[in-house]
């Protein structure tokens, strides 16, 4: 089952992400822009595009009965990224923004990971950074801009542009992964294994993320499942959130 109406999905994501952003950075109500969750540049609707966090090329390798039973969008997890060319250190990067960047550096590695036999597969640091970045996007998808605009969000956004090695600020616990055997069959009892690609639990200063048969951690500055003040200008520090709008590059 392929599915589905991506234009409508894009519009739904756009409005959901806009209202979340406005609740944290109220002056965005005066424009019609979003911040790209990875480069943090302001983008208009036409410069954004739907991103499959678990890439389509990985989903295409799912067993036929899974592909038949569960739509692609559900198995993937969707968000919006920019599709406007990146300019890094004065040079235009070929392709369409963060969407192409993820497609080039991370999607092939994610496909390999999700189809790997870990008894024999050799894992390199690009694989691990790919997982980290997919986990970061899954966190933004679930908890919104409070993840992207936090101190560790800035670190993760920076990491996104360093595909080959972990930055030294990334905690060591977030540079490793635990793996199990992957499933290759489908039954209604294990539907959520396929339909809910990321299961996330908050564990102190990290989010423990399970992507199918792979577990790993992504750092967090604060627990995004706890309430923060979105209306009061002055709130007790426990409930306050100061968005960090710095970008990694101009
Ligand atoms: Zn971007």
């Amino acid at each position: 089952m392929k599915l589905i109406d991506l234009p409508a999905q894009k519009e739904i994501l756009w409005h959901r992400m806009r209202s979340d952003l406005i609740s944290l950075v109220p002056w965005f109500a005066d424009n019609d822009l979003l911040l790209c969750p990875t480069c943090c540049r302001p983008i208009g609707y036409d410069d954004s595009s739907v991103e499959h966090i678990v890439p389509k090329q990985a989903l295409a390798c799912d067993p036929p009965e899974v592909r038949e039973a569960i739509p692609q969008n559900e198995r993937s997890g969707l968000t919006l990224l920019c599709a406007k060319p990146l300019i890094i250190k004065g040079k235009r990067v070929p392709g369409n923004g963060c969407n192409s960047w993820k497609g080039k550096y991370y999607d092939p590695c994610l496909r390999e990971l999700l189809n790997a036999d870990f008894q024999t597969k050799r894992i390199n640091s690009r694989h691990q950074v790919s997982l980290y970045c997919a986990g970061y996007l899954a966190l933004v998808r679930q908890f919104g801009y409070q993840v992207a605009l936090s101190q560790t969000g800035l670190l993760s956004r920076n990491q996104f542009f360093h595909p080959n090695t972990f930055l030294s600020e990334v905690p060591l616990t977030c540079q490793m992964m635990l793996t199990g055997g992957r499933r290759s069959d489908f039954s209604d009892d294990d539907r959520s294994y396929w339909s809910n690609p990321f299961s996330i639990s908050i564990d102190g200063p990290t989010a423990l993320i399970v992507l199918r048969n792979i577990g790993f951690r992504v750092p967090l500055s604060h627990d995004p499942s706890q309430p923060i003040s979105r209306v009061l200008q002055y709130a007790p520090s426990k409930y306050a959130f100061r968005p960090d709008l710095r970008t990694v590059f101009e």
Side-chain angles (χ1 to χ4, degrees):
M1 201 186 299
K2 267 216 153 171
L3 226 123
I4 269 171
D5 205 1
L6 272 186
Q9 288 288 347
K10 181 176 173 182
E11 211 156 305
I12 292 166
L13 284 166
W14 174 267
H15 289 297
R16 189 192 301 155
M17 289 170 75
R18 279 261 315 151
S19 70
D20 174 48
L21 179 60
I22 291 166
S23 75
L24 294 170
V25 193
W27 49 264
F28 266 83
D30 301 333
N31 58 40
D32 197 18
L33 299 169
L34 267 188
L35 291 173
C36 170
T38 42
C39 67
C40 209
R41 290 181 300 174
I43 45 170
Y45 186 82
D46 291 339
D47 285 327
S48 68
S49 68
V50 174
E51 175 63 40
H52 291 74
I53 302 176
V54 178
K56 285 186 275 185
Q57 55 177 277
L59 301 175
C61 303
D62 285 345
E65 56 276 26
V66 173
R67 282 184 275 141
E68 186 56 40
I70 304 171
Q72 200 179 56
N73 296 352
E74 216 178 307
R75 283 178 286 138
S76 140
L78 301 178
T79 187
L80 294 180
L81 291 183
C82 72
K84 184 167 78 167
L86 291 161
I87 295 167
I88 301 181
K89 292 180 185 158
K91 283 192 183 153
R92 186 188 155 124
V93 177
N96 296 320
C98 293
N99 200 305
S100 296
W101 185 277
K102 177 177 174 289
K104 177 177 178 189
Y105 290 107
Y106 301 131
D107 287 357
C109 288
L110 289 167
R111 174 174 52 77
E112 285 177 24
L113 283 172
L114 288 175
N115 291 288
D117 172 359
F118 290 107
Q119 308 272 11
T120 52
K121 175 79 185 162
R122 283 180 73 88
I123 300 297
N124 59 33
S125 46
R126 172 82 69 87
H127 285 112
Q128 294 194 277
V129 174
S130 305
L131 208 54
Y132 178 102
C133 291
Y136 164 71
L137 289 175
L139 280 175
V140 174
R141 173 176 170 255
Q142 182 153 333
F143 297 108
Y145 279 102
Q146 58 168 312
V147 172
L149 302 181
S150 67
Q151 206 183 346
T152 48
L154 180 62
L155 171 63
S156 297
R157 290 189 269 121
N158 199 350
Q159 180 65 67
F160 184 78
F161 293 101
H162 292 84
N164 294 323
T165 47
F166 275 111
L167 301 173
S168 58
E169 298 90 341
V170 174
L172 284 177
T173 49
C174 300
Q175 300 186 27
M176 55 180 82
M177 60 200 239
L178 294 170
T179 60
R182 72 194 162 95
R183 294 192 181 183
S184 53
D185 53 354
F186 174 72
S187 73
D188 274 337
D189 294 341
D190 59 21
R191 185 185 168 88
S192 66
Y193 175 85
W194 303 101
S195 68
N196 180 21
F198 296 96
S199 119
I200 298 174
S201 49
I202 308 302
D203 183 20
T206 61
L208 176 58
I209 301 178
V210 177
L211 167 57
R212 295 192 181 172
N213 56 329
I214 309 169
F216 60 101
R217 291 175 186 270
V218 174
L220 286 173
S221 309
H222 67 282
D223 181 347
S225 63
Q226 295 302 307
I228 51 170
S229 168
R230 289 172 187 267
V231 178
L232 290 173
Q233 217 161 6
Y234 301 100
S237 57
K238 188 178 164 191
Y239 301 109
F241 177 76
R242 288 182 200 286
D244 186 334
L245 302 178
R246 279 176 293 169
T247 51
V248 176
F249 50 84
E250 294 304 315

